[in-house]
Amino acid sequence: MPAEPGDVEPWLSPGWVVAWAETGHLMAVDLTVTASRPPEGYGVTVEYLEGVIHARVSDAAGRPAAQGQAALLGETAVMDRVVTDEAHRRRGLGGLVMRTLADEAVARGAGTGVLGATDPGRALYETLGWKKHAAIAECVYRP
């Protein structure tokens, strides 16, 4: 839920706990077109299925390097599952995925992007103009 984990914890019923390692950040941005291009040796494919944009980055041999998806809900794109393969990190591929998803979402009428970020993800998203609006407290039931 969008709240500080420490504020939520006293309100939890018996058996429920804050998953401190899984707490995150609710972030948003006004989407803009970037006309992003992959770095040399990489290619991007985009697929739109049932309201979800899938962006995949492959290396020169066609192996997966990074990917992500965005669900379109009216004028909002909810970014999710953005990940870069460990062997391809630090090459701007996570940013490429985010910009590709934004470009595709804008082309389909979205104006706002929303996501839940981990701490490492937050660092990337802030470099792309995303702003934190709230903490996300993740709670799990452990009887």
Side-chain angles (χ1 to χ4, degrees):
M1 69 186 66
E4 292 292 334
D7 293 343
V8 171
E9 194 169 39
W11 294 93
L12 297 176
S13 299
W16 285 91
V17 297
V18 170
W20 288 96
E22 302 300 321
T23 60
H25 314 279
L26 179 62
M27 302 184 78
V29 71
D30 291 332
L31 297 172
T32 59
V33 175
T34 66
S36 189
R37 294 191 177 281
E40 189 172 331
Y42 291 94
V44 179
T45 58
V46 176
E47 189 174 29
Y48 183 68
L49 297 168
E50 300 178 14
V52 179
I53 303 163
H54 301 270
R56 294 176 183 90
V57 179
S58 300
D59 65 14
R63 293 181 298 258
Q67 64 184 1
Q69 62 188 30
L72 297 181
L73 304 167
E75 295 179 6
T76 302
V78 181
M79 311 300 186
D80 188 34
R81 299 184 185 186
V82 176
V83 65
T84 301
D85 183 87
E86 192 170 331
H88 298 277
R89 291 186 181 158
R90 303 281 180 224
R91 299 178 191 180
L93 301 182
L96 172 64
V97 168
M98 291 298 293
R99 289 187 299 274
T100 300
L101 291 172
D103 290 350
E104 294 292 326
V106 168
R108 288 176 171 76
T112 302
V114 177
L115 58 77
T118 61
D119 287 335
R122 178 183 176 185
L124 165 66
Y125 304 134
E126 285 178 337
T127 68
L128 300 172
W130 291 71
K131 303 286 185 225
K132 177 180 175 175
H133 291 273
I136 297 176
E138 183 168 327
C139 303
V140 295
Y141 185 66
R142 294 191 178 134

